[in-house]
Amino acid sequence: MQDRKTVIEELKAQIDRDKLPSHVAIIMDGNGRWAQKRHLPRTAGHKEGMERVKEIVEVASNLGIKYLSLYAFSTENWKRPEEEVNGLMKLLVQYLRMELNNLNKNNVKVKTLGNISGLPKLPREEVIRAVELTKNNNKMVLNIALNYGGRDEIIAGVKNILKDVKMGKMEIDKLNEEIFQDYLYTKDQPDPDLLIRPSGELRISNFMLYQIAYTEFWFSNIYWPEFKEENFYQAIIDYQKRDRRYGGI
């Protein structure tokens, strides 16, 4: 049986660096089930999931991915027990405090997707600090989706369009896809080429509903805390084997 290092090197060798997806999005799912399967508290799963975030961000940056979007906390996640929500917020603060200098040193720009005004004070301040510190970096954009919902994003965009029309800043008849994209959180970014979802679920869970019209999906039965470098490479390899026709022949 090959050791892990050999497997990783063999997978990396299969990747065509000229055909990398520009934008990869990941629904980081399965932390709680990973923990429960091991008779651990759900918080243990989230902590292990944070380790995977650190690993995959570094792997994606080193590979040459230009945009990486991570679904960290959805608008629906507020329905979870208060203890778990508080734990997730503490992990967000911990991740940013531990990794921010490293992200900045590696020329990674941190951006957010979602309504961060709805976050508690401390995590909100840490997120704003991370965005400000890294705003001039240009190797990779790391989008962290926080208090994010795809439907909310679209509705917010429509409301802002209506405000601009009312103020005379835009003519409604000139609205097209390109202009509409300027009202989304991903303004000035390409749509995801590849969406990765571990955990065995086969749904989108309200993530980037507008942007994924022609995104390639890659599903896996492993939980996010088990998703490592070699799994990321496998997703890229599978993506590169696909024929993206965008409705053509």
Side-chain angles (χ1 to χ4, degrees):
M1 185 176 179
Q2 292 179 310
D3 61 24
R4 185 182 175 220
K5 185 176 180 181
T6 301
V7 170
I8 287 173
E9 291 305 315
E10 288 184 354
L11 288 171
K12 285 175 70 174
Q14 295 179 50
I15 294 174
D16 185 343
R17 301 300 179 110
D18 294 325
K19 295 182 179 179
L20 288 173
S22 177
H23 188 168
V24 176
I26 304 178
I27 300 174
M28 304 182 296
D29 192 24
N31 293 343
R33 280 169 287 166
W34 178 89
Q36 290 171 339
K37 189 176 179 180
R38 289 159 177 76
H39 306 290
L40 298 170
R42 289 176 61 86
T43 52
H46 295 309
K47 287 180 181 178
E48 187 63 26
M50 185 178 71
E51 295 301 315
R52 300 289 74 74
V53 170
K54 291 158 61 175
E55 178 179 351
I56 297 305
V57 167
E58 182 177 355
V59 167
S61 177
N62 290 339
L63 186 61
I65 303 300
K66 295 300 182 183
Y67 299 86
L68 179 67
S69 296
L70 303 180
Y71 202 6
F73 192 88
S74 75
T75 50
E76 290 76 28
N77 287 154
W78 297 110
K79 300 173 185 176
R80 295 187 176 189
E82 184 178 356
E83 181 181 0
E84 183 173 350
V85 171
N86 290 339
L88 286 166
M89 292 298 143
K90 288 179 182 177
L91 281 174
L92 172 61
V93 171
Q94 181 181 342
Y95 171 76
L96 290 173
R97 288 180 174 176
M98 289 174 55
E99 293 297 308
L100 183 54
N101 287 337
N102 191 47
L103 291 169
N104 192 41
K105 183 178 69 175
N106 290 319
N107 204 15
V108 174
K109 179 188 290 189
V110 177
K111 301 197 75 172
T112 61
L113 310 178
N115 181 12
I116 64 168
S117 66
L119 297 177
K121 184 175 183 291
L122 182 57
R124 183 175 69 250
E125 289 176 347
E126 291 294 329
V127 167
I128 292 171
R129 186 168 75 93
V131 170
E132 179 63 23
L133 180 66
T134 64
K135 66 181 181 182
N136 295 320
N137 294 344
N138 58 18
K139 182 179 181 183
M140 184 179 82
V141 172
L142 172 61
N143 292 315
I144 306 177
L146 296 161
N147 194 25
Y148 174 89
R151 289 178 174 178
D152 278 1
E153 178 182 26
I154 293 169
I155 291 171
V158 170
K159 286 181 177 178
N160 286 327
I161 288 170
L162 293 174
K163 287 179 184 177
D164 282 353
V165 170
K166 187 175 181 179
M167 294 174 66
K169 294 181 179 180
M170 191 183 76
E171 296 178 28
I172 195 68
D173 289 340
K174 292 185 177 179
L175 179 62
N176 55 27
E177 289 185 19
E178 185 176 347
I179 292 175
F180 187 79
Q181 288 173 337
D182 287 342
Y183 289 86
L184 299 176
Y185 294 124
T186 50
K187 178 183 177 181
D188 297 326
Q189 298 186 25
D191 291 339
D193 300 294
L194 173 64
L195 173 67
I196 296 170
R197 180 167 192 162
S199 84
E201 303 293 354
L202 303 177
R203 56 177 178 265
I204 304 307
S205 296
N206 200 19
F207 188 43
M208 304 182 87
L209 298 179
Y210 187 88
Q211 296 91 333
I212 61 172
Y214 281 99
T215 298
E216 296 292 327
F217 297 165
W218 192 85
F219 296 107
S220 171
N221 289 325
I222 64 174
Y223 298 128
W224 173 247
E226 301 167 317
F227 189 92
K228 299 186 179 181
E229 181 176 2
E230 54 267 43
N231 305 111
F232 189 77
Y233 294 148
Q234 186 60 63
I236 300 295
I237 292 167
D238 288 352
Y239 162 84
Q240 292 185 336
K241 293 176 181 176
R242 302 183 188 181
D243 181 16
R244 304 184 74 196
R245 295 185 298 276
Y246 299 97
I249 296 175

